[in-house]
Amino acid sequence: MTALLEVEGLEISFGSLAAVRGASLQVNKGETHCLVGESGCGKSVTALSIMGLLARNGRRDARVLRFDGTDLLALNERAMSRLRGNRLAMIFQEPMTSLNPAYTVGSQMIEVMQRHRGATRAAALARAEELLARVRITSPGMRLGQYPHQLSGGLRQRVMIAMALMCSPELLIADEPTTALDVTVQAQILRLLSDLQKDLGLAILLITHDLGVVARTAHRVSVMYAGEVVESAPVAQLFTKPMHPYTRGLLDCVPVPGKVRRDQPLGSIPGMVPRMTQSFRGCAFVERCTLARPDCAGEIVRHRLAAQHDYLCQIPPDRVTAP
Amino acid sequence: MTTPLIEIRDVGHQFRVKSGLFAQPKRIVAVDGVSLSLPAGGVLGVVGESGCGKSTLAKIILGLIEPSAGEVLIDGRRLDGLDRRERARLIQPVFQDPYSSLNPRRRVRDIVGVPLVAQGGIADGEIRRRVDAMLARVGLDPELGERQPAELSGGQRQRVAIARALVLHPRIVVCDEPTSALDVSVQAQILNLLAELRRELGLSYLFISHNLAVVEHVASEVAVMYLGRIVERAETETLFRAPRHPYTKALLASVLTPEPGLGIPDTELGDTMPDPANIPPGCRFHPRCPAAIDRCRSDAPMPRRDRRGLAECHLVEMA
Ligand SMILES: Nc1ncnc2c1ncn2[C@@H]1O[C@H](COP(=O)(O)OP(=O)(O)OP(=O)(O)O)[C@@H](O)[C@H]1O
Ligand SMILES: Nc1ncnc2c1ncn2[C@@H]1O[C@H](COP(=O)(O)OP(=O)(O)OP(=O)(O)O)[C@@H](O)[C@H]1O
Ligand code: SF4
Ligand SMILES: [Mg+2]
Ligand SMILES: [Mg+2]
């Protein structure tokens, strides 16, 4: 398996806030790597930092940040912008922050292709229309002439997906791409992405809160908590043998169709993610963890359960009770 | 029979969209001939295709969009006959996006107090007291009241939105995807909170969501929308156990349960997508319906009901 994206020891900070603290992950060609974790744990900023799109007040540092062998840390903004939207594309979490309300869908879609590929307006328009149809938008011609606010949430989301695919990227970073969609469209879009993956070897870094999507699309899953990757495993392992107490809590919160009871509270993890600073030591989950013990305030061990499965927690594998 | 809290009859709404300089404006049928009712204390779940008109319907019920047809009764009174303050005391929204639905430049405490201030004639001390009580009720530290939305997490922001919706003690809350911007652990906290508040304050919810497991968890009754119409309605257990409309069946079959290895199900709905600017003749689901027969292409099915609920499909046998 060839690594297309390699991230090691990623650190992101905003002033005193340590948003990402030494995260590592790898996305291979033709593979879907899902990134999950509580709101605010640093998933989106991780994605943005790979794209070189962190807000100005953000600082990025890493031991390794490579795309297809190219050291992204060494690229200047001009070189980076040649990759972005081209070989490396992103679907943003907030459609309205990446769709400009002042321009029609069509003009925003063709702009990327004219810029990177020097395509003619007509060719770019044809491609845009074809992609809108592929993401199951009807009357694509009419939609090209519309402004973002005239679309429903689900339509906007699909426009974003089509836009990211304009230049046939090798790596697609998708931040909650199907959250606003109904499940039938979600299934169709996920099948489309999986077809592209099979046909073109597309690598996908998929950020999602939906553990159903994770279970059905991921090859590998990384779970983040308070800026760290606290567990990483092949998908089947993660669901059958979750090791980190946070991962285990997370799986309990999911209302499972056909198994939920009305008027009975769902499993939840009381409390919320703490705000992290650079000087923080110990496990960030300690205050919410039912298995916490005194040494959780010290240096935390990364246990390895299998070649591809590791987790960051003091409790050794044989002491984690079966789910 | 007691008056339903919400009763809407034959409500429709269309948007006009210009598509280019010289083209004729197109008409988008967002909501078409929808009737439904919400009994006091009930939770009506609304599910359906993206763009099928759920949010438009919610906005009509909230009085934010005036429907082009039909009437909306809230607690037995015509919506357009209620003034804004009366309406606010009866019905309040919680929207999907806790980021854009809160004014970023105001303190949390002021945001939650807005509906009270808008009522007029409530003393400052009383407003303060009620806001504090509400913040505590939704599980927010009073200290957070002094902060601005940007300083809160997504889950906290959604709690602020809920506090604002409940501060007047309305009877109905319209929740338009209240947890879809939240992660599952925060979603579980918010859903548990909404359930508690419903029991304690005797609220009724209209609950829109794409997440069918969530709807199954919270709703007592479910309406399934397709291209502006309600195509099936039934009690929650009945609907999930034995869906009758082909679209409902497809919807349930598309749910991704957290079971690795099963892959993405084929919806069997084909490649044509519903187009609200171009409603097909006959049954509006026929171009995608795996069960369609000739009659479906020309003859629009009427809504029919029996004790299992309502369905709008030629093939559904009524009991
Ligand atoms: N521009 C910024 N300035 C200051 N803090 C920021 C900025 N962008 C993000 N943060 C903070 O960094 C942390 C990580 O944010 P991020 O958006 O990556 O979370 P996330 O995991 O994507 O959450 P969600 O699931 O809610 O999308 C949060 O505490 C957030 O408030
Ligand atoms: N202001 C508007 N102008 C023109 N068309 C609109 C407007 N608002 C909504 N529409 C259209 O009306 C239809 C219904 O939109 P609505 O937002 O009600 O759908 P929805 O069911 O809430 O979808 P989603 O699940 O994607 O949120 C869509 O085709 C949408 O594009
Ligand atoms: S009426 Fe016909 S086309 Fe419509 S849902 Fe029923 S079987 Fe399908
Ligand atoms: Mg995010
Ligand atoms: Mg909507």
Side-chain angles (χ1 to χ4, degrees):
Chain A
M1 250 187 264
T2 19
L4 189 61
L5 175 72
E6 296 157 275
V7 181
E8 272 172 43
L10 179 68
E11 309 266 346
I12 299 169
S13 58
F14 297 95
S16 65
L17 171 80
V20 176
R21 304 178 300 134
S24 300
L25 54 89
Q26 180 176 323
V27 188
N28 296 324
K29 285 205 172 104
E31 189 183 80
T32 299
H33 190 134
C34 282
L35 195 55
V36 301
E38 184 136 340
S39 251
C41 70
K43 303 178 298 293
S44 295
V45 296
T46 296
L48 291 169
S49 77
I50 295 166
M51 299 293 291
L53 290 176
L54 270 189
R56 260 176 226 289
N57 61 337
R59 266 186 53 93
R60 169 187 84 178
D61 202 3
R63 276 197 310 280
V64 175
L65 185 56
R66 262 197 301 264
F67 169 71
D68 199 18
T70 307
D71 180 8
L72 296 184
L73 295 167
L75 289 190
N76 62 19
E77 175 50 31
R78 258 193 64 206
M80 195 63 216
S81 69
R82 274 199 297 271
L83 284 179
R84 211 187 287 133
N86 190 12
R87 296 179 61 198
L88 196 63
M90 178 157 172
I91 300 164
F92 296 89
Q93 185 170 14
E94 305 273 325
M96 283 321 257
T97 57
S98 40
L99 285 176
N100 189 328
Y103 294 92
T104 60
V105 164
S107 64
Q108 299 185 57
M109 285 186 75
I110 64 177
E111 194 268 345
V112 221
M113 210 164 146
Q114 288 178 314
R115 181 153 45 93
H116 289 299
R117 296 289 158 91
T120 62
R121 194 185 147 78
L125 264 176
R127 170 91 178 145
E129 203 166 327
E130 174 206 323
L131 281 169
L132 287 185
R134 279 198 82 168
V135 295
R136 310 278 188 260
I137 287 180
T138 42
S139 308
M142 172 188 87
R143 297 300 186 184
L144 283 173
Q146 284 188 300
Y147 290 89
H149 75 270
Q150 294 173 320
L151 306 178
S152 80
L155 282 167
R156 242 180 256 150
Q157 195 90 19
R158 280 179 275 168
V159 166
M160 300 275 308
I161 295 170
M163 201 148 108
L165 297 174
M166 282 295 281
C167 295
S168 312
E170 289 153 60
L171 174 68
L172 177 67
I173 301 182
D175 197 350
E176 299 284 357
T178 58
T179 308
L181 305 178
D182 73 86
V183 287
T184 65
V185 181
Q186 168 171 282
Q188 286 175 321
I189 299 271
L190 293 176
R191 284 176 79 95
L192 166 75
L193 290 180
S194 121
D195 288 349
L196 289 171
Q197 186 158 61
K198 279 187 213 114
D199 297 351
L200 312 166
L202 177 68
I204 304 175
L205 178 62
L206 182 68
I207 300 175
T208 177
H209 286 311
D210 186 333
L211 291 166
V213 172
V214 174
R216 305 301 189 92
T217 62
H219 296 97
R220 188 175 185 78
V221 187
S222 290
V223 181
M224 281 184 86
Y225 189 82
E228 290 174 311
V229 173
V230 294
E231 183 158 4
S232 184
V235 66
Q237 281 269 331
L238 191 99
F239 280 87
T240 52
K241 282 206 186 122
M243 297 305 285
H244 195 282
Y246 173 67
T247 312
R248 297 156 65 86
L250 196 64
L251 294 178
D252 280 344
C253 294
V254 186
V256 178
K259 300 214 176 88
V260 295
R261 268 274 124 81
R262 208 142 39 81
D263 289 330
Q264 239 165 59
L266 293 165
S268 67
I269 311 172
M272 49 185 271
V273 199
R275 187 190 148 90
M276 287 289 132
T277 58
Q278 268 96 353
S279 59
F280 184 88
R281 287 290 167 272
C283 172
F285 191 58
V286 66
E287 304 216 329
R288 307 171 74 184
C289 183
T290 48
L291 300 178
R293 44 188 218 188
D295 65 343
C296 296
E299 201 61 37
I300 309 294
V301 189
R302 191 171 286 275
H303 286 289
R304 192 166 287 282
L305 196 69
Q308 299 283 319
H309 186 176
D310 59 67
Y311 67 100
L312 187 66
C313 170
Q314 294 303 61
I315 319 281
D318 55 339
R319 299 294 303 280
V320 177
T321 42
Chain B
M1 236 185 86
T2 50
T3 330
L5 266 185
I6 301 180
E7 167 130 55
I8 73 176
R9 294 188 194 136
D10 269 324
V11 162
H13 192 72
Q14 307 189 342
F15 293 101
R16 292 177 157 275
V17 179
K18 277 237 272 294
S19 61
L21 218 43
F22 305 106
Q24 278 281 333
K26 286 209 178 189
R27 278 198 317 209
I28 290 188
V29 181
V31 174
D32 189 14
V34 165
S35 301
L36 54 79
S37 64
L38 172 69
V43 179
L44 176 63
V46 179
V47 301
E49 194 89 29
S50 311
C52 69
K54 302 179 297 294
S55 296
T56 306
L57 183 65
K59 286 179 191 151
I60 289 171
I61 292 171
L62 286 160
L64 302 174
I65 290 181
E66 199 185 330
S68 16
E71 63 175 3
V72 180
L73 303 176
I74 304 288
D75 202 20
R77 299 168 60 193
R78 281 183 63 111
L79 183 66
D80 48 16
L82 296 170
D83 79 29
R84 274 180 53 188
R85 276 174 284 180
E86 279 178 296
R87 205 167 69 206
R89 287 198 300 271
L90 276 171
I91 185 164
Q92 286 282 336
V94 174
F95 291 116
Q96 169 178 1
D97 187 0
Y99 299 86
S100 61
S101 63
L102 305 177
N103 184 335
R105 275 178 294 279
R106 302 192 67 174
R107 289 181 311 166
V108 163
R109 121 176 335 283
D110 300 328
I111 292 173
V112 174
V114 165
L116 291 169
V117 174
Q119 287 294 314
I122 306 177
D124 286 356
E126 174 67 7
I127 290 182
R128 210 184 155 74
R129 195 186 60 71
R130 284 168 71 173
V131 167
D132 278 341
M134 209 58 234
L135 287 176
R137 189 61 207 83
V138 300
L140 287 173
D141 196 295
E143 181 260 331
L144 288 179
E146 309 306 319
R147 303 224 207 140
Q148 292 184 334
E151 300 167 74
L152 305 183
S153 73
Q156 288 174 327
R157 279 181 244 204
Q158 205 55 303
R159 284 172 196 263
V160 172
I162 293 171
R164 178 181 57 187
L166 296 184
V167 75
L168 281 175
H169 292 297
R171 302 191 48 206
I172 309 161
V173 182
V174 174
C175 305
D176 192 353
E177 310 207 27
T179 62
S180 49
L182 306 175
D183 67 273
V184 283
S185 59
V186 183
Q187 164 174 287
Q189 291 177 356
I190 295 290
L191 293 177
N192 290 343
L193 172 69
L194 285 171
E196 251 173 72
L197 292 168
R198 183 175 73 79
R199 279 193 297 271
E200 255 170 56
L201 308 175
L203 298 168
S204 305
Y205 297 141
L206 184 86
F207 193 99
I208 298 172
S209 178
H210 282 311
N211 189 324
L212 291 158
V214 165
V215 169
E216 187 180 2
H217 180 69
V218 301
S220 42
E221 200 188 348
V222 181
V224 181
M225 279 185 79
Y226 188 83
L227 265 184
R229 284 187 71 80
I230 290 179
V231 295
E232 180 162 7
R233 210 176 76 214
E235 284 188 2
T236 308
E237 283 87 78
T238 315
L239 188 105
F240 280 88
R241 191 169 27 83
R244 294 201 282 180
H245 194 282
Y247 177 64
T248 315
K249 290 181 188 168
L251 207 55
L252 294 187
S254 307
V255 173
L256 303 179
T257 52
E259 300 166 285
L262 294 185
I264 310 289
D266 185 351
T267 58
E268 289 177 20
L269 294 182
D271 279 348
T272 38
M273 283 298 284
D275 183 359
N278 219 332
I279 305 274
C283 170
R284 57 189 68 196
F285 185 54
H286 89 253
R288 302 173 70 206
C289 181
I293 51 174
D294 273 348
R295 182 174 172 208
C296 306
R297 284 174 254 285
S298 53
D299 209 358
M302 297 306 280
R304 289 176 300 146
R305 60 180 78 229
D306 59 13
R307 59 187 159 71
R308 280 175 62 192
L310 171 147
E312 195 173 88
C313 165
H314 293 307
L315 297 183
V316 172
E317 305 271 355
M318 289 290 147

